[in-house]
Amino acid sequence: MRFRAPRSVSPSPVRLRKPRHSSTFGLQSDSDEYLSSDNGSEMDSDSDSDESVVSSSSDSFCYASESEVPKTKPRPAHDTRNLDERRKVEETVAAIRLRTRHHDPYEDWERQTRLDAFHTARKELNLDQKRLHDAQDRGRTAEMERRAARYAHQMQEIEAHFERLRLKAKQEEDQLMKDLKVRQAKIWEGIEGVIKIEEEKLRTKLAEEERQREEEERRREQKRKEEEEARKAKEEKDAAEKKAREEEARKAEEERQKQREKEDEAARLKRTQELEEVQQREIRRIVGISTPEADWKLYHDHLEATKRDSVKTVKADQGARSLWSKGRREITPKLGQLTSDAGEINRISLDIYYILNPRGSPLHPAIYKALLYSLSKAIILQAETEVTAEKSSAKPLATVAFNLLETVKDFGEVFFSKLVQRAGGWPVPYLVLSDDYSGPDQTRLKAAERAQKLALGFREDGDSEMETLDVYINRISGIMRIYFNILKFTPNQQPLHAAFQLPRFWTWLTRLLRNKQMLELPITPNLIYTAIDVMDIDGRKIWGRQYNKLLEIIYEGVTIGYEPGKLIGGASPEAVSARSRVKMAVERVLSG
């Protein structure tokens, strides 16, 4: 069996045959493969005799002639099967040798052709990829330019829109300022008109009184002349008696004249004061400023109405009373769990809010108002116990109260009404007066003293024993510390009730300093210290020099007094120690 490669019909280098130049020891050389491929049919028909002839021809080069070549011994007969196997082996070896050693130019050409084709294809691929990448880059660049142009156009539109909004806001602000000026002008015109009317009334009244007084003076002068004539007629009878009567009449007339002048001056001062009061009331009515007495009466009446219309109504109904009791039992422990942790404060505030505003069905208005009353009382009782012992606990409790004031409807009015009732008018501030009895009846005198103390905020224990002054001062100071801390907070959602807004701090101090009776009470310097200690230097940041002047007035009141020998708080030991704290607090704020 022979192995050979088929000829290629493609144009390729010419395959040349080469003669065999050396012995191959019975195997074909590389060049014989071409001969065998051309004459394959002839070689397949060769016999063993051909091999012997070739063998003898190849060996005859050692002798002069063929006759000298020794005759070879005849080979023994071989088995045909062994010769076929040997031939197959030889042919296989020859084919392998030809395959491994033969150098075919066609194959080189074909390999080089494939390599060139690969290089050409790769070069074209690189060019295609480069053109593709360039096209992609140009597309991206164009897209980026379009986006940049669109972005610039949008920015121009946004800026134009913002400019329109700014112009609109400026126009609205200008219009509001114009309306405000018009409104203020109308208000002042009204005030000045009222003042002019009252002044005109006063001038008319004074002119009428002057006319009446002149008429009366003329009548008196006429009468005096008549009396003088009568006295002159009687003068001849009793000169001495007449002289005495004239002297007596003169003195009496002078006394009456002085009395009339005093009465006229008192009447004039009273009329002037009444006119000023009328003007002040009118100005307060227009501006919206109330008096301490009006504030106290307003919140006192509101608390009484809450007790009458809500608390009593809930107590009378068994179902409403059970809901109210459940709400109170849930509120009180939460206030007792209060700490200084902000997360805990917010959690407790939210829990109390949902107790007052349960998800699903809202509470009945009477139950809701009764729970607001109970919540206010619970906060104040917590302040009386916790803040009295440690004043740092006022901030968390005030924060909870502020959160509820900002979110719970109608809580501000109920809470301040309870503050006024529990603290005896000090949150206003207003001195609540009771039956002012100073007679000999000791029972009535003690009852009047007890009523006055209760009106000022003193508490009684279970045995009807009145608390001491020291306990009273500490308790009221704790309540007011909570109130002053609430005033410092800035609302985030909506303005608080008017009683819990920051201007009330200034109003509280100025009202207190104008009330001479309250300045004489021992608790006053303690409450002034509490207010200054809570506000600290924030007051200077808010009110500036005016706050410094107010502190200087307070400092004067606790050091030398507004009147000789009358310091704020009086001479009690509690007031003396409190004045020292006020002085240190004022010095600290003014030097800070």
Side-chain angles (χ1 to χ4, degrees), residues 140-325:
R140 281 193 295 270
T141 303
E143 181 63 24
M144 291 299 292
E145 291 176 353
R146 286 193 298 272
R147 290 183 179 179
R150 186 168 60 254
Y151 174 74
H153 180 66
Q154 291 175 352
M155 286 299 297
Q156 291 177 356
E157 291 181 350
I158 292 172
E159 290 177 356
H161 181 64
F162 283 162
E163 184 63 26
R164 288 194 297 272
L165 291 179
R166 282 193 292 270
L167 291 175
K168 184 179 179 181
K170 184 65 170 59
Q171 293 173 357
E172 292 177 353
E173 182 181 357
D174 294 341
Q175 184 63 33
L176 288 175
M177 291 300 297
K178 184 178 178 181
D179 295 343
L180 179 61
K181 290 180 180 178
V182 172
R183 182 173 174 271
Q184 289 178 344
K186 290 182 179 178
I187 291 174
W188 282 111
E189 286 178 1
I191 294 174
E192 291 175 355
V194 172
I195 294 173
K196 288 179 180 178
I197 292 172
E198 294 297 330
E199 289 178 349
E200 186 64 27
K201 289 181 180 178
L202 179 61
R203 282 194 295 270
T204 304
K205 188 176 182 181
L206 291 176
E208 180 65 23
E209 291 176 353
E210 184 67 22
R211 188 186 64 77
Q212 292 177 0
R213 189 166 57 252
E214 291 176 355
E215 184 68 24
E216 186 179 355
E217 185 66 26
R218 281 194 300 271
R219 286 196 300 269
R220 285 197 301 267
E221 185 66 23
Q222 183 67 29
K223 185 178 179 181
R224 188 182 64 79
K225 288 180 179 181
E226 292 175 357
E227 290 176 354
E228 186 177 357
E229 290 176 356
R231 282 194 302 271
K232 286 180 180 180
K234 294 178 181 180
E235 202 175 79
E236 296 176 356
K237 297 180 181 179
D238 195 352
E241 191 175 327
K242 181 181 178 182
K243 186 177 181 180
R245 284 196 301 270
E246 287 178 355
E247 184 67 22
E248 184 179 356
R250 187 183 62 81
K251 290 182 179 179
E253 184 64 24
E254 290 178 355
E255 187 68 26
R256 285 194 299 270
Q257 185 67 22
K258 290 180 180 179
Q259 184 66 28
R260 283 195 301 270
E261 290 177 355
K262 289 182 180 179
E263 291 176 355
D264 293 342
E265 182 66 20
R268 187 184 65 79
L269 291 175
K270 184 178 181 182
R271 287 192 298 272
T272 304
Q273 185 176 4
E274 289 176 353
L275 179 60
E276 290 180 353
E277 290 179 357
V278 169
Q279 293 175 353
Q280 291 295 328
R281 283 198 300 271
E282 184 65 21
I283 292 173
R284 283 196 295 268
R285 183 185 66 79
I286 295 174
V287 179
I289 301 174
S290 61
T291 61
E293 182 180 4
D295 284 351
W296 179 84
K297 188 176 185 308
L298 172 67
Y299 293 109
H300 177 269
D301 295 344
H302 183 272
L303 185 67
E304 293 298 323
T306 302
K307 290 181 180 179
R308 181 182 64 254
D309 299 335
S310 299
V311 178
K312 287 186 179 180
T313 303
V314 170
K315 286 182 178 180
D317 185 83
Q318 185 63 31
R321 185 173 184 177
S322 63
L323 290 175
W324 178 45
S325 301

Side-chain angles (χ1 to χ4, degrees), residues 495-547:
L496 300 184
H497 185 270
F500 294 97
Q501 295 180 8
L502 183 60
R504 292 289 295 195
F505 181 86
W506 182 273
T507 303
W508 188 88
L509 281 177
T510 53
R511 283 181 175 179
L512 183 61
L513 294 177
R514 286 200 300 263
N515 194 320
K516 293 183 179 180
Q517 290 179 299
M518 300 188 80
L519 290 178
E520 296 174 357
L521 299 176
I523 190 176
T524 302
N526 289 274
L527 298 184
I528 292 176
Y529 164 73
T530 302
I532 297 174
D533 184 58
V534 171
M535 186 58 63
D536 201 39
I537 63 173
D538 293 336
R540 297 183 65 187
K541 299 176 182 178
I542 298 169
W543 293 290
R545 294 180 181 178
Q546 296 300 321
Y547 189 68

